[in-house]
């Protein structure tokens, strides 16, 4: 009998197929004691296993490329973290085996994250995956992972580590569902990059029996267990209609009555540019520069290295707009040379622009590198600061840009509710706003963006979040300036129409979402988008807001 479950849809499309479960194994080694004479040998085994796992993660990243490469290289850094390795060595020195020393050291680090307010809870899957890979290598057992199958299937897992997600074969894995995770977890980000339909934060999915036929709608978050023939036909027809609309859609983003809404791409570096160009991105709305800095957490990259990386992205969009976010370090992206190591709550501490203002030399070098990278290019360069709280922050950033000789527009990200509430004041210092809806939701609802248990409050359809977006857009309109969205909200085609109706002037998203958003926007007039936005804001919950907007756009 058909039953329906609902999680959080994080990657568009429909997948219908038989269930296969991610392989699992208990990788807790026995607490066996060694003698003092064996300690040096065991420490050597641990180091060899760590190096092998780090090399494997880097190799997987190189195979996958793009966003996945950055994520897996960050995982390799976790594996070789010197503090973790020092703890492993200490545990072995007092009698643990190599595998037990690794297991216990990672467990202690896990407890530290929980004690820091669980801001990094969304990275626990990454941490566990690295630990499991090292321990499996030391024990000489296979690493549990994606099942072997000659036939296409829908994958169900408790959670998916980036190393598994990055190398999924879309010809075999029709879609995936996880019990944990959130809309901004690494697995969700990589699913969108792969173009694989996906649902996260669906408790109980693991209880669906192997071989059961399910249908996954990655747009709505609905999972249908043993769908009827009528439901399958309905979903397949909807999917075919979407594909036809995508094939017919091209050119700049606009509503059906010609109101222009530039559709831009979110990129992490040069490797993400080809997909953005292929999708028809009109530029870059969010160039995340922190991945360049994560290559070495001990020191900032040289000015020359930064110039080389920035110029490759700028050259790809001649006459286009490229919005660069300066280094956003701290919280879940700590850097030894920049961020404090002992903050009780990193999410509410020294991160983003605050870190850069504490280290003006790092900010100055990055701004100078951007200025030099843009020399001689016809690109429209815009540079924005993350985590701007008020006008004082905005003025400090604008002054730093001018002192570095940067010939570009200076902007501020709206990720803190105070910035939305005082947007007009901030716009006295900068020339544009860009809404990071992931962090804005996190701070507005006191809901960690990485914790699946509070994913309801991370839903970008929450009316209170729409109010903050409208407030920012209204302020920009009053000042004659632009206000874009570069958070995950922009990748939802229906929500993109609502954001347009709220007065947002551009939308930036992962490249895979651009065709969906372009096709959907082209179906409606600006007036319809405005009515849908008003209906969504009048609702009392995210689900009611979504239904209300859909009803308006459907003419119901």
């Amino acid at each position: 009998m058909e039953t329906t479950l609902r999680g959080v849809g994080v990657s568009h499309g429909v997948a219908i197929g038989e269930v296969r479960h991610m392989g699992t194994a208990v990788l807790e080694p026995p607490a066996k004691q060694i003698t003092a004479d064996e300690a040096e040998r065991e420490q050597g085994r641990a180091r060899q296993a760590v190096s092998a796992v780090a090399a494997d993660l880097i190799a997987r990243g190189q195979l996958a490329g793009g966003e996945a490469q950055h994520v897996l290289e960050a995982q390799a850094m976790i594996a070789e973290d010197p503090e973790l390795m020092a703890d492993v060595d200490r545990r072995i020195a007092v009698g643990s085996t190599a595998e037990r020393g690794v297991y216990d050291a990672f467990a202690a680090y896990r407890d530290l994250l929980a004690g820091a307010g669980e801001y990094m809870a969304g990275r626990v899957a990454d941490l566990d995956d690295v630990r499991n890979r090292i321990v499996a290598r030391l024990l000489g057992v296979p690493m549990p992972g994606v099942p072997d199958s000659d036939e296409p299937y829908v994958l169900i897992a408790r959670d998916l580590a980036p190393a598994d997600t990055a190398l999924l074969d879309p010809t075999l894995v029709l879609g995936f569902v996880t019990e944990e995770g959130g809309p901004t977890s690494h697995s969700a980000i990589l699913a969108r990059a792969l173009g694989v339909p996906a649902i996260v934060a669906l408790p109980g999915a693991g209880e669906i029996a192997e071989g059961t036929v399910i249908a996954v709608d990655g747009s709505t978050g609905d999972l249908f267990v043993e769908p009827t023939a009528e439901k399958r036909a309905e979903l397949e027809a909807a999917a075919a209609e979407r594909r036809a609309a995508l094939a017919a859609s091209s050119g700049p983003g606009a509503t059906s009555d010609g109101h222009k809404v530039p559709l831009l791409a979110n990129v992490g570096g040069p490797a993400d540019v080809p997909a953005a160009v292929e999708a028809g991105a009109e530029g870059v709305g969010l160039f995340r520069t922190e991945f360049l800095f994560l290559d070495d957490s001990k020191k900032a990259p040289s000015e020359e290295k930064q110039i080389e990386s920035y110029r490759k992205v700028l050259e790809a969009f001649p006459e286009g707009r490229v919005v660069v976010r300066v280094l956003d370090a701290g919280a879940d992206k700590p850097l030894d040379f920049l961020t404090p190591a002992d903050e009780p709550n990193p999410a509410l501490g020294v991160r983003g622009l605050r870190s850069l203002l504490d280290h003006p030399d790092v900010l100055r070098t990055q701004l100078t590198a951007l200025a030099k990278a843009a020399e001689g290019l016809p690109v429209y360069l815009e540079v924005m600061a993350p985590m701007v709280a008020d006008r004082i922050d905005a003025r400090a950033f604008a002054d730093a840009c001018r002192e570095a000789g940067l010939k570009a527009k200076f902007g501020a990200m709206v990720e803190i509710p105070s910035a939305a509430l005082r947007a007009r004041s901030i716009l006295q210092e900068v020339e544009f706003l860009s809404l990071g809806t992931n962090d804005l939701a996190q701070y507005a609802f006191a809901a960690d963006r990485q914790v699946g248990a509070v994913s309801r409050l991370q839903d970008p359809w929450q009316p209170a979040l729409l109010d903050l977006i409208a407030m920012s857009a209204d302020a920009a309109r009053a000042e004659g300036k632009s206000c874009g969205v570069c958070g995950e909200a922009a990748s939802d085609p229906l929500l993109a129409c609502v954001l347009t109706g709220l007065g947002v002037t551009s939308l930036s998203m992962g490249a895979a979402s651009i065709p969906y958003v372009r096709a959907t926007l082209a179906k409606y007039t600006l007036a319809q988008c405005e009515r849908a936005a008003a209906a969504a804001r009048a609702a009392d919950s995210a689900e009611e807001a979504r239904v209300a907007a859909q009803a308006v756009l459907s003419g119901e």
Side-chain angles (χ1 to χ4, degrees):
M1 186 176 72
E2 178 183 306
T3 56
T4 305
L5 304 174
R6 170 159 286 184
V8 179
V10 295
S11 184
H12 305 299
V14 171
I16 302 174
E18 291 188 1
V19 167
R20 295 287 182 274
H21 287 278
M22 176 72 90
T24 58
V26 177
L27 287 176
E28 180 174 356
K32 188 172 71 175
Q33 290 290 300
I34 62 171
T35 65
D37 293 341
E38 296 173 298
E40 187 175 346
R41 184 197 68 195
E42 291 296 289
Q43 288 169 338
R45 287 181 63 228
R47 282 190 288 273
Q48 287 175 356
V50 165
S51 296
V53 166
D56 178 62
L57 289 168
I58 290 170
R60 285 169 176 259
Q62 289 172 342
L63 278 173
E67 187 93 38
Q69 183 171 0
H70 302 309
V71 172
L72 293 179
E73 286 175 352
Q75 269 201 296
M77 287 174 60
I78 292 174
E80 297 187 298
D81 182 271
E83 289 189 19
L84 263 174
M85 281 311 301
D87 192 16
V88 171
D89 282 342
R90 282 193 296 272
R91 292 172 187 276
I92 293 172
V94 295
S96 290
T97 60
E99 44 267 45
R100 189 71 208 189
V102 168
Y103 187 89
D104 289 341
F106 272 77
Y109 188 46
R110 212 176 190 273
D111 291 343
L112 279 176
L113 296 186
E118 289 196 280
Y119 182 82
M120 295 174 71
R123 300 299 177 250
V124 164
D126 301 16
L127 188 69
D128 288 348
D129 182 58
V130 171
R131 177 203 64 203
N132 286 345
R133 290 177 187 279
I134 298 170
V135 171
R137 185 171 287 272
L138 286 165
L139 291 174
V141 300
M143 177 66 198
V146 178
D148 289 328
S149 176
D150 295 329
E151 298 297 324
Y153 60 91
V154 179
L155 180 64
I156 292 183
R158 183 181 63 81
D159 205 344
L160 278 172
D164 294 315
T165 315
L167 295 182
L168 290 179
D169 182 351
T171 63
L172 284 176
V173 181
L174 302 172
F176 71 75
V177 181
T178 65
E179 294 188 272
E180 299 181 0
T184 58
S185 67
H186 277 154
S187 292
I189 292 168
L190 295 180
R192 287 188 286 271
L194 286 167
V196 176
I199 297 173
V200 300
L202 204 168
E207 298 172 15
I208 301 173
E210 186 94 358
T212 303
V213 174
I214 63 172
V216 172
D217 190 331
S219 301
T220 64
D222 289 330
L223 184 154
F224 303 93
V225 181
E226 296 182 339
T228 62
E230 291 78 11
K231 176 59 71 175
R232 292 178 67 158
E234 177 189 327
L235 291 170
E236 287 167 349
E241 184 181 339
R242 285 188 199 129
R243 287 194 296 271
L246 293 180
S249 173
S250 62
T255 58
S256 62
D257 55 342
H259 175 73
K260 292 182 179 179
V261 187
L263 303 181
L264 312 171
N266 295 343
V267 304
D272 295 333
V273 166
V277 173
E278 185 179 350
E282 297 168 60
V284 172
L286 172 62
F287 179 4
R288 304 182 184 95
T289 59
E290 57 268 21
F291 288 115
L292 184 62
F293 288 76
L294 290 170
D295 285 347
D296 184 350
S297 67
K298 300 298 181 186
K299 64 179 187 299
S302 67
E303 182 180 303
E304 292 71 25
K305 184 175 181 180
Q306 291 189 55
I307 292 170
E308 180 185 3
S309 181
Y310 302 151
R311 194 168 179 89
K312 286 178 182 176
V313 175
L314 297 176
E315 286 175 336
F317 295 95
E319 306 291 340
R321 177 186 179 199
V322 175
V323 184
V324 179
R325 180 177 70 189
V326 294
L327 176 60
D328 184 16
D332 63 338
K333 298 183 287 284
L335 293 171
D336 293 346
F337 67 89
L338 196 69
T339 49
D342 56 352
E343 286 187 300
N345 191 337
L348 301 179
V350 182
R351 62 167 294 197
L353 180 61
R354 298 168 186 174
S355 294
L356 293 173
L357 294 178
D358 280 352
H359 297 80
D361 55 324
V362 175
L363 177 58
R364 188 182 309 110
T365 299
Q366 184 171 26
L367 294 174
T368 302
L370 284 165
K372 292 180 178 178
E375 283 178 1
L377 296 180
V379 68
Y380 295 95
L381 175 63
E382 301 184 11
V383 182
M384 62 185 181
M387 301 301 293
V388 171
D390 56 16
R391 184 173 180 174
I392 293 171
D393 279 351
R395 182 185 302 133
F397 178 66
D399 288 344
C401 289
R402 282 187 284 267
E403 288 168 12
L406 193 62
K407 293 180 174 60
K409 285 187 175 181
F410 319 141
M413 292 198 70
V414 178
E415 301 164 286
I416 303 173
S418 64
L421 293 167
R422 301 290 293 171
R424 197 158 182 182
S425 170
I426 287 171
L427 283 165
Q428 305 310 304
E429 305 294 341
V430 296
E431 299 172 80
F432 68 93
L433 300 177
S434 182
L435 288 133
T437 53
N438 307 341
D439 268 321
L440 186 57
Q442 169 173 257
Y443 293 119
F445 294 102
D448 192 321
R449 57 184 282 190
Q450 305 299 343
V451 176
V454 292
S455 60
R456 175 182 75 83
L457 297 170
Q458 270 293 325
D459 192 324
W461 281 94
Q462 285 285 355
L465 183 64
L466 299 181
D467 288 343
L468 291 171
I469 293 170
M471 209 174 278
S472 304
D474 287 346
R477 185 187 301 112
E479 294 296 327
K481 295 179 179 180
S482 62
C483 176
V485 168
C486 64
E488 291 303 317
S491 64
D492 178 337
L494 181 62
L495 187 50
C497 296
V498 168
L499 295 173
T500 298
L502 292 175
V504 166
T505 56
S506 67
L507 299 167
S508 189
M509 64 208 76
S513 298
I514 291 175
Y516 289 92
V517 172
R518 183 192 294 120
T520 305
L521 264 180
K523 291 164 60 176
Y524 306 108
T525 65
L526 176 59
Q528 286 176 299
C529 293
E530 289 171 341
R531 289 197 294 273
R537 288 184 69 189
D540 291 319
S541 72
E543 181 58 26
E544 289 176 11
R546 186 184 290 107
V547 170
Q550 182 66 69
V552 169
L553 294 176
S554 300
E556 297 176 7

